[in-house]
Amino acid sequence: MIEQSGATQAAARRVFHSKVDTIRPTYGFDDVSLAPGTDTVEPADVDLTQTFCGIDLAIPILASAMDAVVDARLAGELARLGGLAVLNLEGVQARYEDPDEILARIASAADDEVHDLLAEAYQRPIREDLITARLEAIHAAGAKAAVAATPGAARRFGPFCAEHGADLFLVQSQVSSARHLATDYDPLSLAEFTRYMPIPVAVGNTTNAEAAFALMEQGAAAVFVGVGPGAACTTREVLGIGVPQITAISDVAAARDAFQAETGRYVPLVADGGMRRGGELAKAVAAGADVLMIGSPLARAEEAPGRGMNWGMAAPSPTLPRGTRIKVGTTGSLERILLGPARVTDGSENLIGALRQSMAALGARTIREMQGVEMVYAPSVGTEGKSWQRAR
């Protein structure tokens, strides 16, 4: 019998803990599918209406606060169709009296020149008189005025926008937390901000249930979910952070439901980014979203100011851009993209019709009922039996 040395015996008792041993599986839109149940309903009986932060919506669609997506014209058209557009307070609409010229330059710039042009274009100061003008133009177009700013700008522009007619203020950052630590400045206190703002304050973005719950405790009227899923966003590549949207939405939905159970207050969840086809909208709602914020699909509309282009909100950063300009093309009217009729078979047109049809096939009459349908892990759902399609 071989006697073990003290070192060998000690080694046998060691337990090594590796981070990869506890990696949590997470899921994106392509990883899951929605499973039919026992009931179906007529598509005409599906009710998509809701009140979001005091604003009535006929369809659960928000247009992203991106300069290539939202201006007063698109806000008015989206309101006519039943949705809500969010204006970027730190974009060209608040920096240029006539933003069309700079938008045209950005859209037509060569790929190797566009970053420098973006960085230069967004150096112009934000003007309060232009913010007032845009709020008035959005209202004149028949829409509610929802606006967005980063936490650093929210303290300055929040009360101003509320005073000049804004209906909803979104504090939006790359990653929102309930407690931001800084040594060189006094960070925005969300609890204080929501308390003195006379209009609803929504907050984004997060992917974390505990962070979302804390944001709700501090008065958030809605919580936006998504870090890096957008087509024009490069946060995941540049910073290496992000959680696939199905998992992120589901985690934050759990926090929303727990918060409602404890307080009686329901805080809507907005899935922000990563959706371009009807099936992805349906999966986002099934994962727990109440409202869907989309950017690049709407940048393809004839009414969009980006002229067939889209770029991320952090793309103008002169030092570390976390967004890029992408060509999405102009495919038709906003009405065709959202309500059809579709001229393509890939699900990128008549998004609301697809959502309505999906809900009907799953027996869900309302958004809340859709949040209760069965979701299954199905990584092969997009390829099973589709070899002829892939060969086209």
Side-chain angles (χ1 to χ4, degrees):
M1 182 174 180
I2 299 174
E3 185 175 341
Q4 290 183 325
S5 68
T8 303
Q9 292 175 347
R13 293 193 299 269
R14 292 191 187 108
V15 177
F16 298 98
H17 298 283
S18 168
K19 184 168 287 188
V20 299
D21 292 338
T22 56
I23 285 181
R24 179 169 68 113
T26 57
Y27 306 102
F29 293 115
D30 292 338
D31 299 317
V32 301
S33 185
L34 306 181
T38 59
D39 299 334
T40 59
V41 300
E42 280 297 312
D45 292 333
V46 171
D47 182 10
L48 297 176
T49 62
Q50 62 183 290
T51 299
F52 174 73
C53 298
I55 298 171
D56 292 333
L57 299 179
I59 59 175
I61 296 295
L62 303 186
S64 294
M66 307 171 84
D67 280 348
V69 179
V70 175
D71 62 4
R73 177 192 180 200
L74 184 130
E77 180 62 8
L78 183 54
R80 184 182 72 81
L81 300 176
L84 176 69
V86 183
L87 183 74
N88 178 14
L89 286 178
E90 297 172 75
V92 297
Q93 297 291 330
R95 297 177 191 268
Y96 293 84
E97 201 155 334
D98 182 7
D100 284 345
E101 180 184 353
I102 190 63
L103 288 167
R105 288 178 60 198
I106 294 171
S108 62
D111 290 343
D112 59 353
E113 298 174 353
V114 69
H115 173 253
D116 289 342
L117 176 58
L118 283 167
E120 175 189 345
Y122 286 78
Q123 288 300 309
R124 185 170 290 196
I126 298 170
R127 290 169 45 183
E128 291 185 346
D129 64 313
L130 292 181
I131 293 176
T132 301
R134 304 306 176 227
L135 293 173
E136 292 175 351
I138 290 172
H139 282 144
K144 296 291 186 181
V147 295
T150 57
R155 197 194 307 265
R156 172 186 170 190
F157 296 121
F160 179 86
C161 288
E163 182 182 345
H164 289 82
D167 300 288
L168 172 65
F169 195 93
L170 168 60
V171 181
Q172 192 167 37
S173 60
Q174 183 175 266
V175 177
S176 291
S177 62
R179 185 169 61 109
H180 180 67
L181 305 179
T183 55
D184 294 334
Y185 65 95
D186 181 23
L188 177 73
S189 167
L190 179 62
E192 179 183 328
F193 187 73
T194 58
R195 189 165 53 249
Y196 70 68
M197 282 285 285
I199 60 175
V201 176
V203 184
N205 284 27
T206 188
T207 60
N208 180 275
E210 289 187 12
F213 193 95
L215 294 171
M216 296 172 197
E217 287 183 310
Q218 295 187 10
V223 174
F224 286 63
V225 179
V227 174
C233 181
T234 60
T235 294
R236 293 179 177 177
E237 294 87 344
V238 176
L239 302 184
I241 63 175
V243 175
Q245 277 292 71
I246 289 295
T247 294
I249 295 167
S250 181
D251 286 353
V252 175
R256 173 201 60 204
D257 295 343
F259 184 79
Q260 183 188 26
E262 288 189 21
T263 68
R265 185 166 76 93
Y266 188 85
V267 180
L269 183 164
V270 181
D272 181 8
M275 299 160 285
R276 60 191 184 99
R277 295 188 174 94
E280 291 157 351
L281 270 66
K283 291 176 184 180
V285 175
D290 299 286
V291 181
L292 311 166
M293 176 174 260
I294 53 179
S296 293
L298 304 187
R300 306 174 77 196
E302 294 166 350
E303 297 90 343
R307 296 163 172 79
M309 295 288 186
N310 194 21
W311 52 93
M313 287 177 283
S317 169
T319 56
L320 189 65
R322 278 92 63 210
T324 186
R325 186 195 64 175
I326 59 172
K327 184 175 182 178
V328 297
T330 300
T331 60
S333 68
L334 185 66
E335 183 168 4
R336 180 181 294 278
I337 291 170
L338 289 176
L339 303 180
R343 296 175 299 183
V344 296
T345 59
D346 63 358
S348 62
E349 292 182 355
N350 197 2
L351 297 174
I352 296 302
L355 173 61
R356 187 182 294 277
Q357 185 70 41
S358 177
M359 292 174 62
L362 295 166
R365 292 182 175 84
T366 65
I367 294 290
R368 287 297 279 171
E369 289 183 7
M370 184 65 165
Q371 292 168 352
V373 305
E374 182 185 7
M375 181 177 286
V376 296
Y377 175 56
S380 65
V381 72
T383 57
E384 185 177 53
K386 308 300 181 185
S387 58
W388 286 1
Q389 290 185 28
R390 298 198 304 275
R392 285 190 305 177

